[in-house]
Amino acid sequence: MKEKTSSFELLEPTRPEALVPQPWLEPWMFVVAALLIAAIFTIWWYYRSEKKFAITDPRLARDKFHQDAAAALEKMNPQHARDAAVQASLILRKYLALAAKDPALFETNEEFISRHDALQALTEAARDASGIGFTRLASLKYAAEIPDLSPSEVVNESRALLETLHHGFAA
């Protein structure tokens, strides 16, 4: 048998860097990722700023809110005056919250009436009418007995108050 002879010469050890796996990310991949992130951010910023600075006519928005409130008053089908007062009060307060950006929707009648900065967007006459109208609705809502009043009268008074509020915005 022929044996292979081995020599006893010392070999240089393998370098440790050769044992580390090569990264699969190349420098050009970082550049592409940075450009994609920048493009996404730019598009997001453009759409966000476009909505932020969009100029809308507040009268058009108020007209839309008025139409919605008038339609809601028309759809009401109250059983009695208290029910009509509750529904109408909610509709009118929602209108004020949207059209005048007033927190009337989230306040009690006493808080609303006593707040000095309430409805600053309205004329003095409209503010007075709102105070009287909401006090009347509150007296119907919280009466000890169900008021002897026809629900249609409450709805008609509420409709008149809605018109007063809508036309009472200061120029």
Side-chain angles (χ1 to χ4, degrees), residues 73 76 81-93 109 129-143 147 149 151 153-159 161-162 165:
L73 285 172
M76 280 179 42
R82 179 180 289 159
D83 190 28
V86 169
Q87 291 179 32
S89 177
L90 180 63
I91 292 168
L92 292 172
R93 286 176 184 270
N109 187 55
S130 72
I132 294 168
F134 282 114
T135 301
R136 168 104 167 110
L137 288 173
S139 69
L140 293 173
K141 289 191 305 188
Y142 302 117
L149 188 67
E153 287 180 51
V154 177
V155 172
N156 289 336
E157 289 175 12
S158 300
R159 204 174 291 123
L161 179 58
L162 176 65
L165 293 173

Side-chain angles (χ1 to χ4, degrees), residues 88-154:
S89 177
L90 180 63
I91 292 168
L92 292 172
R93 286 176 184 270
K94 187 185 241 183
Y95 169 75
L96 286 176
L98 295 170
K101 295 178 179 38
D102 192 83
L105 183 60
F106 309 105
E107 295 176 331
T108 64
N109 187 55
E110 289 77 18
E111 291 171 332
F112 175 67
I113 298 297
S114 65
R115 190 164 41 95
H116 296 294
D117 65 340
L119 304 177
Q120 290 298 315
L122 296 176
T123 62
E124 187 68 34
R127 281 194 297 259
D128 293 340
S130 72
I132 294 168
F134 282 114
T135 301
R136 168 104 167 110
L137 288 173
S139 69
L140 293 173
K141 289 191 305 188
Y142 302 117
E145 301 275 329
I146 294 179
D148 188 27
L149 188 67
S150 110
S152 61
E153 287 180 51
V154 177

